[in-house]
Amino acid sequence: MAETVDTTLVYMRIRRRIEERIERGIYPTGSMIPSENELAEEFGTTRLTIRSAVDELVRRGQIRRVRGKGTFVAQKVPAIFERTGGFRESVRASGGEPSVRILARSKRYAGPYYADLFGIAEDDLLYSIRRLNCINGDPVSIEMALIPCLLFPTIEEIDVSVFSLYETYEMLGRKPVMAQEKLDIEALGARDAGLLGLEQGDLALTLECVSYDASGQAIEYVKSFNRGDAGGYTYTY
């Protein structure tokens, strides 16, 4: 298992290096990146590891494979930016009063998708927290967070209804410094709609966010459902 985790961490670091080169314009949009053989030689690893890193970038739409020609930068990488804090910090910064209610806490296996995201084994555990976020007493979002127990083995000992998750990560030695976000719109189910004071089928703004520490390690995945009519809070980046 340790060997699998080590291999996965290597390809994640390589993937991030390629992303950084795209961000800096070293690999401009529309340009062809080096071949798998060239990258394997540069990074001192195998073609299989390079292919894993490139496959992830292809799945994200950041690069595109063209049969018989090579692999090209398809677009700029999604916005990755410095985060000033989590929900509570951002709300207070905009003059509101935040409150958080824990709806559920549990553990689950990572499975293939989250194992790939966090660089852990599929049977490693994730700590799952579901929360209702309010501003000035009014519900504004429902948030589901997944955190690798391997990275935060003592996270259950901290009361996350008192401390924010970002404060918790920092207390446990992994301060979040970057995040990658994706926005979408989804219809709410009956349970979530009721918690937000809306009707089943009403549309909510969804936000998927992956937070990273200073080493580039993904430490948190969050998906939230947000009321579009209740204002919001601001990230500075």
Side-chain angles (χ1 to χ4, degrees):
M1 183 183 299
E3 183 177 350
T4 302
V5 173
D6 289 345
T7 302
T8 305
L9 289 173
V10 168
Y11 105 74
M12 289 180 67
R13 285 196 292 268
I14 293 171
R15 182 192 69 197
R16 182 64 192 128
R17 289 285 297 279
I18 296 172
E19 286 179 326
E20 288 172 350
R21 291 175 183 182
I22 295 172
E23 287 177 321
R24 295 171 183 171
I26 298 172
Y27 298 156
T29 301
S31 68
M32 185 170 67
I33 71 171
S35 68
E36 290 179 1
N37 283 335
E38 290 170 326
L39 289 171
E41 183 176 353
E42 176 186 352
F43 290 108
T45 188
T46 65
R47 282 186 60 193
L48 182 60
T49 300
I50 296 296
R51 188 169 301 156
S52 296
V54 171
D55 283 347
E56 177 64 20
L57 297 174
V58 170
R59 285 194 294 270
R60 295 181 180 187
Q62 296 170 17
I63 61 178
R64 181 178 304 165
R65 282 197 180 98
V66 180
R67 187 180 295 275
K69 292 188 176 181
T71 306
F72 297 81
V73 179
Q75 59 186 35
K76 298 288 187 182
V77 297
I80 295 180
F81 47 86
E82 292 186 1
R83 292 286 291 272
T84 58
F87 170 75
R88 290 180 176 91
E89 293 88 344
S90 299
V91 171
R92 291 188 183 110
S94 59
E97 181 58 39
S99 59
V100 175
R101 182 175 125 208
I102 305 298
L103 300 173
R105 282 180 281 197
S106 62
K107 287 183 179 179
R108 50 158 288 180
Y109 291 115
Y113 179 82
Y114 295 110
D116 179 51
L117 176 66
F118 291 116
I120 59 179
E122 293 183 19
D123 59 353
D124 281 338
L125 292 174
L126 300 177
Y127 188 47
S128 174
I129 304 174
R130 183 174 158 84
R131 309 187 298 175
L132 178 66
N133 295 325
C134 300
I135 299 177
N136 301 326
D138 298 320
V140 294
S141 68
I142 298 167
E143 182 180 87
M144 186 273 291
L146 294 174
I147 305 124
C149 295
L150 186 68
L151 301 179
F152 301 101
T154 61
I155 192 168
E156 290 181 273
E157 298 174 9
I158 296 178
D159 188 343
V160 294
S161 66
V162 176
F163 298 98
S164 74
L165 286 175
Y166 268 34
E167 288 175 318
T168 299
Y169 304 147
E170 186 169 2
M171 283 189 288
L172 297 179
R174 289 183 180 269
K175 180 180 180 180
V177 297
M178 295 187 300
Q180 186 174 40
E181 296 189 341
K182 175 184 176 183
L183 293 171
D184 207 343
I185 295 175
E186 292 185 25
L188 290 167
R191 181 179 61 169
D192 289 344
L195 287 168
L196 291 174
L198 300 173
E199 299 293 329
Q200 181 177 358
D202 282 351
L203 296 180
L205 180 69
T206 64
L207 176 66
E208 291 184 83
C209 176
V210 181
S211 298
Y212 300 84
D213 66 14
S215 72
Q217 168 68 49
I219 60 175
E220 174 200 63
Y221 167 86
V222 170
K223 182 172 183 179
S224 61
F225 294 86
N226 305 270
R227 288 187 58 137
D229 63 344
Y233 50 95
T234 303
Y235 292 130
T236 301
Y237 61 94

